[in-house]
Each structure stands twice: as C-alpha cells, then as structure tokens.
Amino acid sequence: MKKYHIIDNCKYLIISILIIVCDQILKRYIIDNFKLGQSQEIIPGLLSFTYLRNTGAAWNLLAGKMNLFYLISILALIVVIYYLFSLKYSHRIFKFGLAMVLGGIVGNFIDRLIFKYVIDMFDLDFINFNIFNLADCAITFGVIFIFYYFVFLVEKEN
C-alpha cells in the first residue's frame, strides 16, 4: 500500500515538473524575444503577450517585499508537499489541484530567486485584467480543483 502511494504521488510530481518546465520555457521565450513593456497580439481580440516584471503578488500587491514572498512561498511549498504525500487525502482531484499549485508556486519562486521579480506575459484583450503568467494560471486552477474537492467530494469520500 505504501509503495503504491509513493508511485501514485510521482505522477503528480511529474505534473508539477511539467508546469514548472513549461512556465520557465515560456518566460525564457518572452525575455529573449520581447522588450520590457512590448506587446504582441497572439489571438486577435482575445490574447496578447505583453512582457512585464512584477515585483509584487497578484495585482502587484506588496511590490518589492521579496523577503515576505520568499517566506510565503516556502511555507506554501511545505503545506502543499505535506498534503500531496498525506495518506488522509488521496482523491485524484485534490492531488491534481495540489500538483498544479505546487508547479505554480515553484515557477514563480524560481523567478523571484533569479530575477527578484516575476515575469508576466498573458494579457487578456477582451477585458481589463492584470497581466499574468502560466504559473499564476496553474495556481488559480489548482485552487479551483482543491475547492471543488472540499465542497463537493470530501463528504462522499468519507
């Protein structure tokens, strides 16, 4: 049973690694091919790439508070890894959500460690919304999966 649990969790770690790799490749592409502030339409009227540097959190909150973001990232990583390997929560929806959150946290943490800011590029042209990155998407959708699990599935599982 324990061996299966470890093997089962490896597939979720692979999901996290794929998110991290894709996030970092896209960010490298943006750095290499765009000037800061440059925008290029990808899907007309829907999506553009716009190269921004974010020294804060979502909506550039707490800009420049790098030590706080390091601390929050490390604490979040500990919590996510704990629950990912916990035997108490084994539902695939919950684990998938955790894997996405883990990949997103690490993707943005890498930026903060290397650059002291996070590279953002997704610009939604059809709505006035903040520019974000793949790691942000992974965190957001991961939290949605986790929320779905706790609201709709946790009682059924018990």
Side-chain angles (χ1 to χ4, degrees):
M1 182 74 160
K2 192 170 187 170
K3 184 177 180 181
Y4 169 75
H5 178 70
I6 292 170
I7 293 170
D8 190 50
N9 282 331
C10 284
K11 70 182 174 189
Y12 296 109
L13 290 176
I14 290 169
I15 291 168
S16 297
I17 291 167
L18 286 173
I19 290 168
I20 295 163
V21 168
C22 290
D23 177 66
Q24 292 299 305
I25 288 171
L26 180 56
K27 289 172 178 175
R28 176 50 52 193
Y29 172 80
I30 295 297
I31 290 169
D32 291 346
N33 295 285
F34 287 73
K35 292 180 179 148
L36 187 61
Q38 181 183 350
S39 189
Q40 180 180 340
E41 195 172 53
I42 304 300
I43 302 171
L46 188 64
L47 178 70
S48 294
F49 280 167
T50 302
Y51 178 19
L52 287 184
R53 295 175 180 169
N54 184 349
T55 61
W59 297 284
N60 211 23
L61 293 173
L62 303 170
K65 305 285 187 196
M66 252 343 101
N67 288 334
L68 177 63
F69 293 120
Y70 295 149
L71 178 63
I72 291 170
S73 295
I74 290 167
L75 291 174
L77 287 171
I78 291 167
V79 170
V80 169
I81 290 168
Y82 171 80
Y83 280 105
L84 188 61
F85 287 94
S86 171
L87 293 173
K88 182 177 180 184
Y89 299 103
S90 60
H91 197 280
R92 67 178 188 255
I93 297 287
F94 181 69
K95 298 283 189 176
F96 183 71
L98 288 173
M100 292 183 76
V101 170
L102 178 63
I105 292 170
V106 172
N108 282 339
F109 192 49
I110 290 169
D111 285 10
R112 287 191 175 100
L113 288 173
I114 294 172
F115 304 115
K116 306 294 186 238
Y117 54 81
V118 173
I119 298 160
D120 288 333
M121 78 287 297
F122 292 126
D123 192 356
L124 301 177
D125 297 331
F126 62 92
I127 189 171
N128 186 14
F129 194 73
N130 287 332
I131 297 170
F132 54 96
N133 61 44
L134 189 61
D136 298 334
C137 293
I139 292 169
T140 301
F141 284 105
V143 168
I144 290 169
F145 277 102
I146 293 166
F147 182 77
Y148 179 83
Y149 168 76
F150 279 112
V151 171
F152 298 108
L153 301 175
V154 74
E155 287 186 17
K156 291 179 184 177
E157 193 174 37
N158 294 334

